[in-house]
Amino acid sequence: MPKFMFIYHGGGRPETPEEGEQVMAAWMKWMEGIGEDLVDGGNPAGMSKTVTVHGVANDGGANPVSGYTLVNAPDMDAACEIAKGCPILEHGMGTVEVAEAMEM
């Protein structure tokens, strides 16, 4: 079955321990719902650097990554349906970029 990367942009960090618990509970519930198709729950991402032939930029790029997840899904449409339930989408604070992890 194909694997799909969910690349997160935006979102935010919880401001209090209580908010952190609520956010983590929402993510865990969503991941549990994915079941056996969850390949790697992923992690949040720190500030990135962009490496080009001209050097290294410390600005995080045009659309900084805030985290990732890897899932199995039969096709892109099914992967997008899974992504629609992602907690980062709540309150319009973030986005999920979905891309197939191509087998080589």
Side-chain angles (χ1 to χ4, degrees), residues 48-52 55-62:
S48 63
K49 296 183 181 223
T50 302
V51 180
T52 69
V56 179
N58 294 315
D59 62 2

Side-chain angles (χ1 to χ4, degrees), residues 10-92:
R13 304 255 185 236
E15 295 182 14
T16 65
E18 294 80 18
E19 185 181 347
E21 289 175 16
Q22 291 173 344
V23 168
M24 186 55 102
W27 279 89
M28 295 305 294
K29 181 178 179 183
W30 176 65
M31 288 183 190
E32 287 172 7
I34 297 171
E36 292 179 6
D37 287 329
L38 181 66
V39 176
D40 181 352
N43 288 293
M47 180 56 76
S48 63
K49 296 183 181 223
T50 302
V51 180
T52 69
V53 68
H54 303 291
V56 179
N58 294 315
D59 62 2
N63 193 8
V65 172
S66 56
Y68 76 94
T69 298
L70 186 63
V71 302
N72 288 323
D75 55 37
M76 178 63 85
D77 289 339
C80 289
E81 283 301 313
I82 295 168
K84 286 179 182 179
C86 182
I88 201 167
L89 299 174
E90 292 178 15
H91 313 295

